[in-house]
Amino acid sequence: MKKFYVASSFNNKDTVRRVSNELIDKGFMLTYDWTKNERASTLEDLQEIGQQEKKAVMEADFIIVLLPGGKGSHIEFGLALAQGKRIYLYSSNDEVNKFETTSTFYHLSEVEICIGSVNNLIHTVTNSQTLLN
């Protein structure tokens, strides 16, 4: 069973839950559901959540990053990239291909850019991970 983690902004938690639930229904295993957390209110909270999220990224076979993401999402992206994990970078629009708003790291071979609907993202991840088995 392939393990995954979904990184994004707290503002996208409904979409994170949808993607996670649909992949779980397809037989994948979520390493950590950060959407169950409340917003951190202390440095100790941040440290605990950071440890859990770091562990989840390390345990995942692949990660999904839903844009727009925050600082944490991009750090999780970097952790996954440093480990050579497959990263699915999702955007509902074409911002990842606009020179003014993109990042060099978005265009590395470990990253698969998914643009469009969430259904398209789930289809891409499911098909890609099935082919990698």
Side-chain angles (χ1 to χ4, degrees):
M1 176 182 304
K2 294 255 182 149
K3 298 179 198 173
F4 71 98
Y5 178 78
V6 183
S8 193
S9 162
F10 203 81
N11 294 333
N12 293 334
K13 70 180 184 179
D14 290 337
T15 305
V16 170
R17 286 178 180 159
R18 177 180 169 202
V19 168
S20 297
N21 289 335
E22 291 199 32
L23 289 175
I24 290 167
D25 289 346
K26 294 182 181 299
F28 296 94
M29 184 175 137
L30 180 63
T31 56
Y32 178 65
D33 185 357
W34 58 265
T35 68
K36 294 179 180 177
N37 298 336
E38 296 297 321
R39 284 194 185 267
S41 59
T42 67
L43 293 176
E44 290 79 18
D45 291 345
L46 286 175
Q47 183 179 27
E48 175 62 29
I49 292 167
Q51 288 294 331
Q52 292 174 356
E53 291 177 348
K54 176 184 171 189
K55 181 179 181 222
V57 171
M58 304 294 256
E59 290 177 353
D61 296 308
F62 64 93
I63 76 162
I64 299 168
V65 178
L66 303 178
L67 295 178
K71 295 177 290 193
S73 304
H74 286 86
I75 292 168
E76 293 160 344
F77 180 103
L79 285 169
L81 191 61
Q83 290 191 326
K85 295 183 186 288
R86 186 68 168 162
I87 300 167
Y88 298 91
L89 181 64
Y90 170 76
S91 177
S92 61
N93 58 45
D94 199 34
E95 69 184 298
V96 296
N97 289 319
K98 292 182 181 168
F99 199 77
E100 303 80 30
T101 56
T102 197
S103 166
T104 55
F105 297 102
Y106 291 175
H107 302 280
L108 297 176
S109 62
E110 298 89 342
V111 179
E112 183 166 347
I113 296 173
C114 303
I115 298 170
S117 71
V118 172
N119 287 338
N120 182 51
L121 167 67
I122 292 165
H123 178 78
T124 299
V125 171
T126 303
N127 285 347
S128 175
Q129 288 300 310
T130 302
L131 291 173
L132 293 174
N133 282 339

